[in-house]
Amino acid sequence: MDYIMLDTQSTILDQIPDNFSSAAILLHPFVEMPSGWTQSKKNQNPYKHIYPTDEEILNNAKPVLWKTVMDECGLASFAELELALLTSIGALNEDYARLDLADSLNLNLKEDLYFPDEDKTSVFLLNGLLEVMNFNEATLLHYSEPIFDTSGSLKLNDVKPIKICELSSAELMVTTNNMEYAFMSMYDAFNTLFLSKQKNIDEIVGKMNWEAIICDHQTYIDWFLQKSNGISYSKIRCISLNRNVPLILLNM
């Protein structure tokens, strides 16, 4: 299946292939490195931009929930945190940028705590995504990336998270040979779009302890912006990584 170029004019569910019945926007966790990691990198090269590699994240980092960062930075919703992140990386024009939210995030972000992965699926999510892909006797992963227009297939049982990281440095679509599930990273986004042939995608999200927006027929790819009617009915499911207890938040 080819990469899907989503637009902001139609809802997500209206743009995904017909064989998929449900979708969820998975929120990439923040990245917490061991105490003192940042300073040690600065000591090595004070002029180099510092961000952990995929291997360093897999081996040494801890995932931090959006809800935790919201509380620590005084942000009221996932939408505010998304706006803060996108403003911080210069992904929004002046009509939508929220410098106040970006300041709240950056001034309160602890040392050794880094923004989530952007453009590509967070390495913290890949083990769980590969586990889900193994459901229903799938044997192959098909992948497609739009930048160099490359595609291919891999034996599912042989694929490790780091292999997915190596397939593309940015946008990537991955699906199974039985087309039961798919996931897709997006440019200038701190989220991954997860698709399911089944309608119980919220149960999968809960089982995997992902923070996610469960898409309904009013969920757009720019979910963090208020629509013209001022109302969004998308449910945001915040799952603790320690307790399988969902918290439904409506104030996106």
Side-chain angles (χ1 to χ4, degrees), residues 10 15 30 40 49 54 57 64 68 72-74 104 109 142 152 155 157 170 184 214 241-242 245:
S10 303
Q15 297 183 69
F30 282 73
S40 68
H49 173 70
D54 294 327
I57 294 173
V64 177
T68 300
E72 292 178 350
C73 296
S104 293
L109 205 65
H142 300 307
K155 290 183 179 180
N157 288 338
M184 186 179 85
I214 308 302
L241 294 181
N242 299 315
V245 180

Side-chain angles (χ1 to χ4, degrees), residues 2-211:
D2 291 335
Y3 187 88
I4 305 170
M5 293 294 185
L6 296 171
D7 62 53
T8 59
Q9 306 306 309
S10 303
T11 67
I12 291 172
L13 293 180
D14 286 339
Q15 297 183 69
I16 63 176
D18 291 339
N19 56 294
F20 292 111
S21 299
S22 58
I25 301 170
L26 308 184
L27 308 179
H28 296 172
F30 282 73
V31 178
E32 183 180 5
M33 297 303 291
S35 178
W37 185 88
T38 300
Q39 187 58 52
S40 68
K41 291 292 183 179
K42 289 180 179 178
N43 292 341
Q44 295 173 25
N45 188 342
Y47 304 107
K48 184 179 180 180
H49 173 70
I50 299 172
Y51 192 85
T53 64
D54 294 327
E55 291 86 353
E56 288 171 327
I57 294 173
L58 283 170
N59 294 329
N60 301 306
K62 295 178 181 178
V64 177
L65 291 171
W66 282 43
K67 184 65 171 64
T68 300
V69 175
M70 281 167 48
D71 292 343
E72 292 178 350
C73 296
L75 300 173
S77 65
F78 290 143
E80 286 196 353
L81 182 46
E82 180 82 356
L83 285 167
L85 286 166
L86 293 174
T87 300
S88 297
I89 65 170
L92 298 175
N93 64 36
E94 61 182 13
D95 293 330
Y96 299 110
R98 290 288 305 272
L99 296 177
D100 58 328
L101 300 179
D103 286 344
S104 293
L105 172 62
N106 291 293
L107 292 175
N108 291 287
L109 205 65
K110 298 177 181 177
E111 189 173 49
D112 299 315
L113 183 62
Y114 289 84
F115 281 11
D117 280 308
E118 62 177 287
D119 299 340
K120 62 180 183 177
T121 297
S122 168
V123 295
F124 287 131
L125 299 180
L126 288 175
N127 268 324
L129 285 165
L130 290 173
E131 180 181 339
V132 171
M133 294 297 200
N134 267 295
F135 294 172
N136 300 323
E137 300 180 349
T139 57
L140 294 174
L141 286 183
H142 300 307
Y143 65 89
S144 154
E145 65 86 23
I147 297 178
F148 298 104
D149 194 25
T150 59
S151 60
S153 299
L154 299 167
K155 290 183 179 180
L156 182 53
N157 288 338
D158 295 338
V159 178
K160 303 298 182 185
I162 198 65
K163 179 62 179 178
I164 301 295
C165 298
E166 294 170 351
L167 293 177
S168 174
S169 61
E171 300 102 312
L172 181 71
M173 164 69 80
V174 179
T175 187
T176 52
N177 58 295
N178 58 12
M179 294 291 285
E180 288 282 341
Y181 304 102
F183 66 90
M184 186 179 85
S185 57
M186 297 170 286
Y187 180 70
D188 272 354
F190 297 91
N191 329 118
T192 288
L193 184 64
F194 173 57
L195 308 177
S196 175
K197 190 175 181 179
Q198 311 301 322
K199 291 187 178 296
N200 66 335
I201 198 166
D202 57 333
E203 295 178 12
I204 298 173
V205 167
K207 179 179 180 181
M208 304 311 298
N209 282 341
W210 291 328
E211 283 184 305

